[in-house]
Amino acid sequence: MQPSLTDRFGRRISYLRLSVTDRCDLRCSYCMPKGFSGFEEPENWLRFDEITRVVAAFARMGVGRVRLTGGEPLLRRHLPQLVSQLAVLPGVRDISLSTNATQLHKHAQALYAAGVRRINVSLDSLDKACMEKITGRDSFSSIMAGLQAGKQAGFSPVKLNMVVMRGVNDHEIMRMAQFCFDEGFILRLIEAMPMGDTGRNSQYMDIGPIRDELVKAFQLTPAAEELGGGPARYWSTADRKGTIGFISPISQHFCATCNRVRMSVDGTLYMCLGQEEKFELRPLLRAGVSDAELESAIRNAIELKPERHEFNSQRHKIIRFMSQTGG
């Protein structure tokens, strides 16, 4: 094991979010614009062997958590094969998946068998018409089927990500919380981020007052246990059977404890969602760099990681869409 991966601000990097495709079968209003066609060409996607080399290099430097994202990762063919390759890498101790769940009923069992143990599912509403408005597709029934397939496969925990949007779905938060409590899911409420025109037009809401309402309504107290390696701050019911996480990148940023980087489907490392610093690994991989050279390149990339985002002061800075970065 090499020395741990630490940025110039003393933050240890322990989490890699790995996009396996920039395609998606939905068009969520805050993520990808309708009619968008600027997808990466398949010949520029990292192959499974290239992805495995990158993850192995990160793992040798102490990065033990890997999350597969997109786009919609389940649109990448043979994804369980990639999972099985990553699961046996020394140092990789946690493989999770972010999905919209429309395809999950087809793949849940195979993904679990390959080594995925935790999933996050995007679900912004329990109203069929509202979901169709947000996602641009008739997606609700397939997502519900995917959630049940996930439970049956054994994923634990199953977290539901709800991007809170004023005048769109904010009236459903109490209902969504009760649904998650009843089903054994963990709800996570997320502030919309101003990435691209889609993100900036997403009716941002400060979730601080929402948290206060939920704490009072369900007698929530701060959760003591860690529930993944991410930025959510969790609160639980007295019996610990109900948990809600709050992700507040705008109203209460968590940059000082940021522990992650993202890699897009073409092998570009992004150091921060709210900054432009990036480092391209694909040219190095296809030029035949050694493992030592690859690790050195990753360390150089981490040196580019900024201290914090500037979503509050420069809302128009990031023109790329969330789907292009990796969720």
Side-chain angles (χ1 to χ4, degrees):
M1 186 74 68
Q2 298 295 318
S4 63
L5 199 55
T6 304
D7 73 7
R8 55 201 169 101
F9 302 102
R11 296 171 298 196
R12 182 177 177 184
I13 308 304
S14 59
Y15 189 0
L16 175 65
R17 295 181 66 97
L18 174 62
S19 176
V20 296
T21 181
D22 58 351
R23 268 63 168 179
C24 190
D25 53 346
L26 303 182
R27 291 295 181 271
C28 294
S29 56
Y30 50 81
C31 184
M32 187 189 299
K34 293 180 180 179
F36 178 75
S37 59
F39 299 106
E40 189 61 64
E41 294 297 326
E43 59 264 29
N44 292 331
W45 297 358
L46 290 195
R47 303 184 304 267
F48 284 0
D49 63 308
E50 293 171 326
I51 293 172
T52 302
R53 275 201 74 194
V54 172
V55 173
F58 270 99
R60 287 193 296 271
M61 293 182 280
V63 178
R65 293 183 183 272
V66 178
R67 176 171 292 276
L68 303 177
T69 72
E72 170 45 50
L74 297 185
L75 296 184
R76 182 76 183 255
R77 295 181 61 188
H78 310 301
L79 188 62
Q81 177 185 327
L82 174 62
V83 173
S84 65
Q85 292 176 204
L86 301 181
V88 297
L89 293 175
V92 173
R93 57 186 176 85
D94 180 74
I95 301 176
S96 54
L97 175 80
S98 290
T99 176
N100 63 28
T102 61
Q103 310 292 319
L104 187 58
H105 64 285
K106 303 175 186 177
H107 305 291
Q109 294 286 350
L111 287 166
Y112 189 88
V116 175
R117 290 294 178 268
R118 303 185 297 112
I119 59 172
N120 290 4
V121 175
S122 297
L123 182 64
D124 296 318
S125 173
L126 292 172
D127 180 83
K128 185 176 182 293
C130 185
M131 276 296 289
E132 186 167 352
K133 180 180 178 181
I134 293 171
T135 66
R137 307 284 165 84
D138 181 4
S139 57
F140 186 74
S141 59
S142 60
I143 293 172
M144 290 295 108
L147 282 171
Q148 293 307 312
K151 286 179 66 173
Q152 293 170 9
F155 295 118
S156 180
V158 176
K159 299 177 183 178
L160 266 56
N161 290 346
M162 180 182 188
V163 177
V164 180
M165 293 169 281
R166 186 181 304 279
V168 178
N169 63 353
D170 53 312
H171 63 287
E172 289 192 68
I173 292 171
M174 290 292 178
R175 179 186 175 195
M176 184 70 80
Q178 191 62 60
F179 170 76
C180 289
F181 293 167
D182 293 343
E183 293 289 333
F185 302 140
I186 294 175
L187 175 62
R188 305 202 315 169
L189 301 176
I190 305 174
E191 292 177 345
M193 288 175 279
M195 294 190 64
D197 291 338
T198 52
R200 284 187 283 274
N201 295 327
S202 293
Q203 296 80 44
Y204 163 79
M205 284 190 71
D206 179 346
I207 62 172
I210 296 169
R211 180 196 60 228
D212 294 342
E213 291 180 19
L214 288 166
V215 166
K216 182 177 180 180
F218 295 105
Q219 290 82 54
L220 303 178
T221 57
E225 68 274 17
E226 180 187 359
L227 296 172
R233 299 174 174 94
Y234 290 99
W235 294 66
S236 298
T237 56
D239 59 9
R240 293 297 188 260
K241 293 182 179 179
T243 300
I244 303 177
F246 301 89
I247 302 178
S248 52
I250 311 301
S251 66
Q252 191 178 7
H253 74 82
F254 35 80
C255 301
T257 58
C258 184
N259 64 347
R260 82 248 341 260
V261 293
R262 291 169 167 81
M263 187 169 75
S264 65
V265 67
D266 68 347
T268 301
L269 289 176
Y270 288 96
M271 309 306 145
C272 174
L273 279 177
Q275 299 286 6
E276 295 288 0
E277 287 83 358
K278 62 184 180 180
F279 192 101
E280 295 182 6
L281 293 179
R282 188 183 77 245
L284 300 177
L285 292 165
R286 297 191 177 173
V289 295
S290 67
D291 286 350
E293 290 169 326
L294 178 58
E295 290 176 23
S296 178
I298 291 172
R299 290 191 184 278
N300 289 337
I302 298 303
E303 286 297 303
L304 301 174
K305 189 171 174 63
E307 185 174 13
R308 58 166 299 171
H309 66 67
E310 296 175 336
F311 284 143
N312 300 78
S313 59
Q314 299 191 50
R315 289 181 57 82
H316 294 276
K317 183 172 183 177
I318 302 302
I319 61 174
R320 68 181 185 271
F321 304 114
M322 178 69 82
S323 61
Q324 295 173 299
T325 305

